[in-house]
Amino acid sequence: MMVERERWIDMLRGFCMLAILLDHTEIYYTGGNLIPYDWYVSNVLIVFFFLSGYLMYKQQGFSLRHKLTSIGRSLLLPYFLFTIVLALPKAFVHGWSIDWESVLLPILTGRASWFIAALIVSEVVFSLFLWITRGKVIPLFILSSCAFVGSVLLTKQSTDYPWCINNALQAVLFLYIGWFYQCRNDVFNHINTPLYTSFLFIFLIVIKGYATCKGVHTMIYPMGIDSYFIFFLDMLTSIFLLVNVCKQLPRCKPLEWVGAHSIVYYFVCGGVPLCLSLALEKVDLGYHGAYYSVLIAYALVCIVASCIVAIVYRYLPFMLGKLH
């Protein structure tokens, strides 16, 4: 019997994916972030880790073998296939030298797509933690917290590791938070009201205002976090706010569609804005200081990316570990 898909999850993924597309559009079209990175980018990326943890909670029990197989089929296989297919076009557009070492080494070391690499490693680590602890809340929290501490210690030495191990260890704690949210869903449902949502929204504005005024950065890649206290307040508030909003909003099928296909969007979210920005510059429609032009470029990015995603899901399902 198939479990009915929770529509708010797809809506939340869709919103976060569109936010990432906006970030990449600004970067490639204008040369930088017009809306500050710290205002939203880390928040929406962390939400994906939270949702991965949320979906890993199983009332009927956790199967390590089943989960590792799922990670290999739905994340690791697409990672290798997409990064290999995109490697040469990416090098050509950026004007990089093309040799086997520069093309294959980033793929083999997990640097070709940092977020997917970190998601793969974090899910594997958290799966092992679930298996070791038998899903017991406190031991699992202790191990997840230790992983976060390990991330902090590693980042003090370097921000560049194979398979983004430091980012993955940081993400493990947010997978736990998502898992715990699902585990105690009945408790968290009590804060899923317009009143609590309004409070979370105001509190998030206060946090963002304070961090902006004090110059506190919360960048997760490459990792640059000035205050972990502010970081946790920021991330947790935004997670609960966005979850509440997406649970309370009426269904939005286009947003759900983006969320349900978010992994392919992520693989093309850099290349499409880059190529479209170069094309717009060629026809003298580059950025000249008016933000409406960014919105036009963003709309084009969303349309082209959606077409590519639809084609992949319709004609190349094997790239996603699907037989049909």
Side-chain angles (χ1 to χ4, degrees):
M1 180 178 177
M2 292 290 291
V3 178
E4 185 178 353
R5 198 176 184 99
E6 296 188 70
R7 302 297 180 181
W8 69 267
I9 294 177
D10 285 335
M11 285 181 61
L12 181 49
R13 279 177 171 164
F15 171 81
C16 292
M17 195 67 249
L18 292 178
I20 293 171
L21 281 172
L22 176 61
D23 170 58
H24 284 80
T25 300
E26 282 194 351
I27 290 172
Y28 289 116
Y29 186 61
T30 73
N33 287 106
L34 299 185
I35 302 174
Y37 177 101
D38 291 320
W39 283 14
Y40 72 98
V41 181
S42 292
N43 302 83
V44 296
L45 290 169
I46 287 293
V47 164
F48 281 106
F49 294 120
F50 168 86
L51 289 175
S52 293
Y54 180 94
L55 293 170
M56 287 177 73
Y57 176 80
K58 306 294 181 185
Q59 283 187 335
Q60 67 271 27
F62 176 77
S63 170
L64 178 63
R65 181 178 179 180
H66 181 269
K67 184 57 185 178
L68 292 180
T69 301
S70 175
I71 293 170
R73 186 182 67 251
S74 62
L75 289 176
L76 189 61
L77 177 63
Y79 167 83
F80 280 115
L81 291 178
F82 276 99
T83 53
I84 288 171
V85 168
L86 296 173
L88 291 178
K90 187 176 181 180
F92 176 76
V93 171
H94 283 281
W96 298 337
S97 60
I98 298 177
D99 56 76
W100 290 113
E101 182 177 351
S102 61
V103 170
L104 287 181
L105 193 59
I107 297 174
L108 296 176
T109 57
R111 293 181 171 94
S113 178
W114 79 267
F115 176 78
I116 300 298
L119 184 60
I120 291 169
V121 176
S122 64
E123 286 202 8
V124 169
V125 172
F126 189 66
S127 296
L128 292 173
F129 286 176
L130 276 170
W131 178 69
I132 292 169
T133 63
R134 307 300 184 194
K136 294 180 179 178
V137 172
I138 295 178
L140 188 57
F141 172 71
I142 292 172
L143 286 178
S144 301
S145 299
C146 288
F148 189 88
V149 172
S151 168
V152 175
L153 295 176
L154 284 175
T155 303
K156 287 184 177 180
Q157 304 301 317
S158 173
T159 58
D160 182 31
Y161 289 94
W163 288 92
C164 301
I165 294 173
N166 58 329
N167 294 95
L169 291 178
Q170 180 195 67
V172 167
L173 185 55
F174 290 97
L175 265 74
Y176 171 82
I177 293 169
W179 179 90
F180 183 77
Y181 188 104
Q182 170 72 311
C183 180
R184 299 291 189 269
N185 217 346
D186 54 336
V187 176
F188 286 105
N189 280 337
H190 290 306
I191 67 168
N192 185 24
T193 66
L195 179 62
Y196 280 109
T197 303
S198 299
F199 169 76
L200 289 168
F201 178 68
I202 293 169
F203 190 49
L204 183 62
I205 291 176
V206 171
I207 295 170
K208 294 293 187 185
Y210 175 83
T212 301
C213 291
K214 297 294 183 180
V216 178
H217 297 293
T218 55
M219 183 175 287
I220 64 171
Y221 186 83
M223 208 176 293
I225 299 171
D226 297 329
S227 167
Y228 281 98
F229 177 73
I230 297 297
F231 173 74
F232 273 109
L233 280 181
D234 189 349
M235 297 304 125
L236 292 177
T237 303
S238 61
I239 287 172
F240 293 138
L241 171 63
L242 291 172
V243 169
N244 276 9
V245 168
C246 289
K247 282 186 173 183
Q248 293 168 24
L249 285 176
R251 286 189 63 179
C252 176
K253 290 186 178 181
L255 196 59
E256 287 179 22
W257 191 88
V258 173
H261 302 82
S262 56
I263 186 170
V264 181
Y265 273 99
Y266 192 85
F267 283 117
V268 303
C269 73
V272 171
L274 171 59
C275 293
L276 274 176
S277 297
L278 292 174
L280 290 172
E281 285 181 9
K282 289 289 186 181
V283 295
D284 199 30
L285 291 175
Y287 178 65
H288 297 296
Y291 197 78
Y292 73 83
S293 63
V294 178
L295 296 178
I296 294 172
Y298 175 59
L300 292 173
V301 165
C302 291
I303 292 169
V304 173
S306 297
C307 291
I308 294 172
V309 170
I311 290 170
V312 170
Y313 271 86
R314 177 67 178 86
Y315 298 106
L316 303 170
F318 67 91
M319 295 189 71
L320 303 160
K322 301 178 185 294
L323 297 178
H324 57 78

